[in-house]
PDB file of all heavy atoms in Angstrom:
ATOM      1  N   VAL A 417      -2.861  27.924  20.646  1.00 98.00           N
ATOM      2  CA  VAL A 417      -4.229  28.045  21.187  1.00 98.00           C
ATOM      3  C   VAL A 417      -5.226  28.136  20.034  1.00 98.00           C
ATOM      4  O   VAL A 417      -6.280  27.486  20.055  1.00 98.00           O
ATOM      5  CB  VAL A 417      -4.349  29.275  22.120  1.00 98.00           C
ATOM      6  CG1 VAL A 417      -5.802  29.516  22.513  1.00 98.00           C
ATOM      7  CG2 VAL A 417      -3.487  29.073  23.366  1.00 98.00           C
ATOM      8  N   ALA A 418      -4.856  28.906  18.994  1.00 98.00           N
ATOM      9  CA  ALA A 418      -5.771  29.034  17.844  1.00 98.00           C
ATOM     10  C   ALA A 418      -5.993  27.671  17.188  1.00 98.00           C
ATOM     11  O   ALA A 418      -7.108  27.363  16.759  1.00 98.00           O
ATOM     12  CB  ALA A 418      -5.210  30.043  16.850  1.00 98.00           C
ATOM     13  N   CYS A 419      -4.949  26.853  17.107  1.00 98.00           N
ATOM     14  CA  CYS A 419      -5.106  25.518  16.493  1.00 98.00           C
ATOM     15  C   CYS A 419      -6.006  24.628  17.363  1.00 98.00           C
ATOM     16  O   CYS A 419      -6.867  23.908  16.842  1.00 98.00           O
ATOM     17  CB  CYS A 419      -3.745  24.855  16.280  1.00 98.00           C
ATOM     18  SG  CYS A 419      -2.801  25.620  14.951  1.00 98.00           S
ATOM     19  N   ILE A 420      -5.806  24.676  18.679  1.00 98.00           N
ATOM     20  CA  ILE A 420      -6.648  23.857  19.568  1.00 98.00           C
ATOM     21  C   ILE A 420      -8.102  24.345  19.490  1.00 98.00           C
ATOM     22  O   ILE A 420      -9.045  23.558  19.445  1.00 98.00           O
ATOM     23  CB  ILE A 420      -6.123  23.884  21.021  1.00 98.00           C
ATOM     24  CG1 ILE A 420      -4.713  23.279  21.085  1.00 98.00           C
ATOM     25  CG2 ILE A 420      -7.071  23.144  21.959  1.00 98.00           C
ATOM     26  CD1 ILE A 420      -4.030  23.424  22.443  1.00 98.00           C
ATOM     27  N   GLU A 421      -8.239  25.669  19.446  1.00 98.00           N
ATOM     28  CA  GLU A 421      -9.589  26.241  19.368  1.00 98.00           C
ATOM     29  C   GLU A 421     -10.264  25.800  18.063  1.00 98.00           C
ATOM     30  O   GLU A 421     -11.454  25.484  18.043  1.00 98.00           O
ATOM     31  CB  GLU A 421      -9.472  27.764  19.417  1.00 98.00           C
ATOM     32  CG  GLU A 421     -10.610  28.402  20.133  1.00 98.00           C
ATOM     33  CD  GLU A 421     -10.374  29.887  20.372  1.00 98.00           C
ATOM     34  OE1 GLU A 421      -9.299  30.429  20.039  1.00 98.00           O
ATOM     35  OE2 GLU A 421     -11.312  30.502  20.898  1.00 98.00           O
ATOM     36  N   HIS A 422      -9.491  25.780  16.989  1.00 98.00           N
ATOM     37  CA  HIS A 422     -10.061  25.355  15.696  1.00 98.00           C
ATOM     38  C   HIS A 422     -10.425  23.871  15.755  1.00 98.00           C
ATOM     39  O   HIS A 422     -11.487  23.471  15.265  1.00 98.00           O
ATOM     40  CB  HIS A 422      -9.058  25.639  14.575  1.00 98.00           C
ATOM     41  CG  HIS A 422      -9.670  25.574  13.220  1.00 98.00           C
ATOM     42  ND1 HIS A 422     -10.528  26.539  12.737  1.00 98.00           N
ATOM     43  CD2 HIS A 422      -9.590  24.633  12.243  1.00 98.00           C
ATOM     44  CE1 HIS A 422     -10.932  26.215  11.523  1.00 98.00           C
ATOM     45  NE2 HIS A 422     -10.381  25.053  11.196  1.00 98.00           N
ATOM     46  N   ALA A 423      -9.548  23.068  16.364  1.00 98.00           N
ATOM     47  CA  ALA A 423      -9.880  21.642  16.544  1.00 98.00           C
ATOM     48  C   ALA A 423     -11.172  21.527  17.354  1.00 98.00           C
ATOM     49  O   ALA A 423     -12.030  20.672  17.083  1.00 98.00           O
ATOM     50  CB  ALA A 423      -8.731  20.912  17.235  1.00 98.00           C
ATOM     51  N   GLY A 424     -11.340  22.417  18.335  1.00 98.00           N
ATOM     52  CA  GLY A 424     -12.565  22.421  19.154  1.00 98.00           C
ATOM     53  C   GLY A 424     -13.789  22.807  18.337  1.00 98.00           C
ATOM     54  O   GLY A 424     -14.872  22.262  18.532  1.00 98.00           O
ATOM     55  N   ARG A 425     -13.591  23.757  17.407  1.00 98.00           N
ATOM     56  CA  ARG A 425     -14.736  24.147  16.561  1.00 98.00           C
ATOM     57  C   ARG A 425     -15.154  22.987  15.663  1.00 98.00           C
ATOM     58  O   ARG A 425     -16.343  22.719  15.490  1.00 98.00           O
ATOM     59  CB  ARG A 425     -14.381  25.373  15.708  1.00 98.00           C
ATOM     60  CG  ARG A 425     -14.533  26.691  16.458  1.00 98.00           C
ATOM     61  CD  ARG A 425     -14.544  27.870  15.489  1.00 98.00           C
ATOM     62  NE  ARG A 425     -13.230  28.069  14.880  1.00 98.00           N
ATOM     63  CZ  ARG A 425     -12.267  28.818  15.409  1.00 98.00           C
ATOM     64  NH1 ARG A 425     -12.474  29.451  16.542  1.00 98.00           N
ATOM     65  NH2 ARG A 425     -11.106  28.933  14.799  1.00 98.00           N
ATOM     66  N   ILE A 426     -14.168  22.295  15.109  1.00 98.00           N
ATOM     67  CA  ILE A 426     -14.495  21.146  14.254  1.00 98.00           C
ATOM     68  C   ILE A 426     -15.189  20.074  15.114  1.00 98.00           C
ATOM     69  O   ILE A 426     -16.181  19.461  14.694  1.00 98.00           O
ATOM     70  CB  ILE A 426     -13.221  20.577  13.590  1.00 98.00           C
ATOM     71  CG1 ILE A 426     -12.606  21.620  12.658  1.00 98.00           C
ATOM     72  CG2 ILE A 426     -13.538  19.295  12.828  1.00 98.00           C
ATOM     73  CD1 ILE A 426     -11.241  21.232  12.109  1.00 98.00           C
ATOM     74  N   THR A 427     -14.665  19.879  16.315  1.00 98.00           N
ATOM     75  CA  THR A 427     -15.268  18.903  17.218  1.00 98.00           C
ATOM     76  C   THR A 427     -16.715  19.297  17.511  1.00 98.00           C
ATOM     77  O   THR A 427     -17.613  18.445  17.575  1.00 98.00           O
ATOM     78  CB  THR A 427     -14.428  18.798  18.508  1.00 98.00           C
ATOM     79  OG1 THR A 427     -13.085  18.430  18.130  1.00 98.00           O
ATOM     80  CG2 THR A 427     -14.980  17.778  19.473  1.00 98.00           C
ATOM     81  N   GLY A 428     -16.957  20.593  17.637  1.00 98.00           N
ATOM     82  CA  GLY A 428     -18.322  21.088  17.860  1.00 98.00           C
ATOM     83  C   GLY A 428     -19.261  20.704  16.723  1.00 98.00           C
ATOM     84  O   GLY A 428     -20.431  20.376  16.959  1.00 98.00           O
ATOM     85  N   LEU A 429     -18.734  20.727  15.479  1.00 98.00           N
ATOM     86  CA  LEU A 429     -19.585  20.311  14.351  1.00 98.00           C
ATOM     87  C   LEU A 429     -20.070  18.880  14.585  1.00 98.00           C
ATOM     88  O   LEU A 429     -21.234  18.554  14.358  1.00 98.00           O
ATOM     89  CB  LEU A 429     -18.801  20.353  13.030  1.00 98.00           C
ATOM     90  CG  LEU A 429     -18.279  21.707  12.552  1.00 98.00           C
ATOM     91  CD1 LEU A 429     -17.475  21.531  11.259  1.00 98.00           C
ATOM     92  CD2 LEU A 429     -19.440  22.665  12.318  1.00 98.00           C
TER      93      LEU A 429
END
Side-chain angles (χ1 to χ4, degrees):
V417 172
C419 288
I420 298 172
E421 214 171 357
H422 195 72
R425 278 196 291 272
I426 296 172
T427 302
L429 297 177

